[in-house]
Amino acid sequence: MILEMNNISKNFGDLSVIKDISFNVDRGEVVSIIGPSGSGKSTLLRCATFLETISSGEIRYMDTVAAYTDPNGTVNYLTPNDLRKIKGYFGLVFQQFNLFPHYSVLRNLMDAPLKVQKRHKDEVEAECMELLRKMGLEAKANAYPCQLSGGQQQRVAIARALAMKPEVLFFDEPTSALDPELTGEVLKVIKQLAEEKMTMVVVTHEMSFARAVSDRVIFMDGGVIVEQGHPEEVFGNTMEERTRQFLSNYSR
């Protein structure tokens, strides 16, 4: 098991955004998280990747406890040095591509492996060029982000995350900033990664994608998991009325 989140809650002041959620992610599994805006999906992802601190609960990566609530109700995280190692287990792809605008495409990919992992430049460059070939972007290695379409920028962002050789990739609505044509480009890449058994957690509004690619679908609403299961169970044999209402807004 790569990730365990046990009894996770997250409050912003008096507002409870995540309420006692537990779920896990196994190696090679693709988990899609769906639900209406404001349901807590992105906040859950941000807690999993330490961009937000939890209010209570426990987070484990690869059997290492990264955060936990002690008997006094205080949340404790690993030291920054130890947490840095945990952060090496995952990559994160955002809605907005967050590429360095003053770096070329290739340098965007190479920067973290060189600076963070202290790897050899020739090896990193060869691996990053292979990733660009995989994304269909080899010819754009020396281009700058402003010279790329949104779909191309998002594929660069995915390649950049993969360059760190993560155990799991998190996607936070990776196509929400793209038009339908460019959305297809990015979803094709994610589907290819799924076929290669890359472990992924995908927050998405693309229902047909979630149904086709996921091993498990989680439906969230109001900060809780309402329903989860195999895609054909969630989409084709919905158990909860709230899930049924949500899915009725999308064509099957």
Side-chain angles (χ1 to χ4, degrees):
M1 191 173 297
I2 289 180
L3 169 66
E4 286 182 75
M5 298 187 77
N6 299 314
N7 307 111
I8 300 296
S9 296
K10 175 60 183 177
N11 306 321
F12 293 100
D14 294 331
L15 178 64
S16 179
V17 179
I18 295 174
K19 306 167 186 176
D20 196 31
I21 280 183
S22 298
F23 83 105
N24 56 57
V25 182
D26 290 328
R27 185 176 299 280
E29 189 177 27
V30 179
V31 179
S32 288
I33 304 177
I34 63 173
S37 297
S39 59
K41 308 182 303 295
S42 291
T43 300
L44 182 63
L45 214 66
R46 291 176 64 83
C47 288
T49 54
F50 312 124
L51 294 173
E52 298 283 358
T53 56
I54 59 175
S55 299
S56 62
E58 178 190 72
I59 301 174
R60 288 176 176 262
Y61 274 95
M62 314 281 281
D63 293 326
T64 298
V65 177
Y68 67 96
T69 307
D70 67 23
N72 296 321
T74 302
V75 175
N76 299 274
Y77 279 81
L78 292 175
T79 64
N81 280 341
D82 289 336
L83 207 57
R84 194 173 296 117
K85 178 183 177 183
I86 299 292
K87 289 178 179 178
Y89 292 147
F90 60 78
L92 180 58
V93 179
F94 298 89
Q95 299 175 32
Q96 302 298 334
F97 324 116
N98 290 4
L99 300 175
F100 294 117
H102 55 297
Y103 284 0
S104 69
V105 165
L106 181 58
R107 189 174 174 190
N108 263 283
L109 267 63
M110 292 179 62
D111 188 61
L114 291 176
K115 291 182 178 178
V116 177
Q117 297 178 332
K118 310 296 184 186
R119 294 168 56 201
H120 193 275
K121 183 180 178 181
D122 290 346
E123 173 190 316
V124 169
E125 183 171 356
E127 289 182 3
C128 289
M129 285 302 299
E130 180 57 36
L131 283 170
L132 289 177
R133 275 191 286 276
K134 186 174 183 177
M135 300 293 160
L137 293 170
E138 182 182 10
K140 300 292 186 180
N142 295 315
Y144 286 83
C146 65
Q147 298 172 305
L148 306 179
S149 70
Q152 289 171 330
Q153 288 187 61
Q154 191 61 295
R155 281 183 281 157
V156 172
I158 295 170
R160 180 177 63 178
L162 288 169
M164 295 291 285
K165 301 184 177 181
E167 298 286 344
V168 56
L169 269 184
F170 292 96
F171 294 85
D172 186 6
E173 298 185 13
T175 60
S176 64
L178 304 175
D179 65 36
E181 186 175 3
L182 299 180
T183 291
E185 291 179 15
V186 174
L187 294 182
K188 183 179 178 181
V189 168
I190 300 174
K191 286 178 182 177
Q192 181 183 348
L193 293 173
E195 290 169 1
E196 296 169 2
K197 296 301 181 184
M198 179 73 202
T199 310
M200 294 183 284
V201 179
V202 187
V203 170
T204 183
H205 288 295
E206 300 289 336
M207 296 300 112
S208 58
F209 164 81
R211 185 170 188 169
V213 174
S214 308
D215 297 297
R216 182 157 43 102
V217 173
I218 294 173
F219 171 64
M220 285 183 64
D221 190 29
V224 301
I225 293 175
V226 176
E227 187 166 356
Q228 65 175 310
H230 187 275
E232 291 310 312
E233 295 173 350
V234 174
F235 287 95
N237 189 27
T238 311
M239 300 297 292
E240 299 293 333
E241 179 60 28
R242 180 65 188 97
T243 315
R244 196 173 293 115
Q245 291 172 355
F246 174 77
L247 293 175
S248 70
N249 294 319
Y250 295 89
S251 59
R252 297 293 180 98

